[in-house]
Amino acid sequence: MKQVWQFALLASLVATPAAAQQASGDPLTAALKRQWDGIALNLKEAAEKVPEDRYSFKPSQEVKTFAGEVGHGANTHYFFCARIKGEQNPNKEDFEKVTSKDVLVKALIASNDYCSSLFSGATDKWLLEMVGQGAQAQPRAAILAAHVAHSNETYGTIVPYMRMSGIVPPSTARTQKPSR
């Protein structure tokens, strides 16, 4: 498991353009923030784009509804980011049980904001500090990299829901816009 975190950290640095690494005194922080901002935007736009009547859609009985996936995203944002910040999870609601688009979009945006706030004042030194105890202790950056990876998996799960509903996912829509 330790190798997964190391790989995620290495991948985040390799994915960072050299100019961005040189421009920032904290290249790890800059790389992870850029990755977080990208997936947070994809999840938010997906939640906003899917109509209310498709929030109850699920491709088969064995999986969550679209609403459940959006709720899962919000729940895990709070879970991971509270751990990174070293504080109690401020979320007391299980958003996976919520069915209202309005409530879920607001919850996802609030959870995105909660995670985004950890970058205020974040440095590479802070992200490399260990949190947790014993075998559970890991650098904050490893937890953040795992969270970014998990959030990308959540987005990857909801993209087929969108496509089966005839909706172009936001990440695809952005690449299809004509350049000026």
Side-chain angles (χ1 to χ4, degrees), residues 143-161:
I143 300 166
L144 182 54
H147 179 48
V148 168
H150 180 269
S151 295
N152 274 298
E153 290 169 0
T154 300
Y155 182 67
T157 299
I158 66 174
V159 163
Y161 287 53

Side-chain angles (χ1 to χ4, degrees), residues 8-177:
L9 284 172
L10 180 61
S12 71
L13 286 174
V14 170
T16 305
Q21 287 183 21
Q22 292 169 353
S24 170
D26 294 300
L28 177 61
T29 304
L32 289 170
K33 181 179 186 324
R34 192 170 35 264
Q35 290 178 6
W36 166 252
D37 288 346
I39 190 54
L41 178 65
N42 283 343
L43 288 168
K44 176 183 115 29
E45 289 182 351
E48 291 170 338
K49 196 170 190 178
V50 171
E52 174 94 37
D53 68 335
R54 297 307 289 172
Y55 264 61
S56 61
F57 173 67
K58 59 182 183 174
S60 71
Q61 292 304 319
E62 299 81 30
V63 298
K64 294 177 181 120
T65 62
F66 182 82
E69 289 293 340
V70 173
H72 179 72
N75 286 345
T76 59
H77 290 352
Y78 283 115
F79 172 80
F80 278 101
C81 293
R83 185 162 178 219
I84 294 163
K85 291 179 177 192
E87 59 190 38
Q88 290 293 317
N89 185 339
N91 177 44
K92 303 303 177 211
E93 185 164 359
D94 183 356
F95 290 113
E96 287 183 44
K97 295 179 180 173
V98 174
T99 58
S100 164
K101 174 182 177 171
D102 220 26
V103 171
L104 286 168
V105 168
K106 287 177 185 168
L108 188 66
I109 290 170
S111 68
N112 281 354
D113 291 345
Y114 178 71
C115 284
S116 293
S117 72
L118 72 84
F119 289 102
S120 296
T123 63
D124 286 3
K125 182 180 177 185
W126 181 76
L127 284 172
L128 292 173
E129 289 175 0
M130 301 294 280
V131 293
Q133 296 180 353
Q136 297 300 315
Q138 340 177 27
R140 286 182 170 96
I143 300 166
L144 182 54
H147 179 48
V148 168
H150 180 269
S151 295
N152 274 298
E153 290 169 0
T154 300
Y155 182 67
T157 299
I158 66 174
V159 163
Y161 287 53
M162 295 178 79
R163 291 201 181 278
M164 285 184 246
S165 299
I167 302 167
V168 176
S171 54
T172 303
R174 279 193 296 280
T175 64
Q176 293 175 343
K177 289 186 178 178

